[in-house]
Amino acid sequence: MFQLNNPDPQILVALVKMKMPFGKYKDTVLCDLPVSYLEWFGKKGFPAGKLGMLLQTLLEIKMNGLGELLVTIKKMESGK
């Protein structure tokens, strides 16, 4: 999971590049998923592995008002 005191930039890049592989929001970039969908996973259980870790991290970022961080990273990555 993303830790504010020791952030892994690759996690943030994955959040703005990786697409949801299944479900209602299939093919939606993870950072564009609505909080309600992430909260649903929080109640039902996050998927195993990297995807689950990314969704859990994304929920923490959005719930703590840090969504603009992802907007900035997404712009930087699209400019490469």
Side-chain angles (χ1 to χ4, degrees), residues 2-4 7 12 14 26 28-31 35-36 52 56 66:
F2 182 78
Q3 298 174 357
L4 291 177
L12 297 175
K26 183 178 182 190
T28 300
V29 178
L30 295 182
C31 68
V35 172
S36 60
Q56 201 169 3
L66 299 172

Side-chain angles (χ1 to χ4, degrees), residues 2-3 6-16 54 70 73 77:
F2 182 78
Q3 298 174 357
N6 189 19
D8 180 352
Q10 294 306 314
I11 291 174
L12 297 175
V13 171
L15 289 172
V16 302
L54 289 171
L70 296 175
I73 293 169
E77 287 298 312

Side-chain angles (χ1 to χ4, degrees), residues 46-58:
F46 289 97
K50 182 178 180 179
L51 178 61
M53 180 273 298
L54 289 171
L55 293 175
Q56 201 169 3
T57 300
L58 181 59

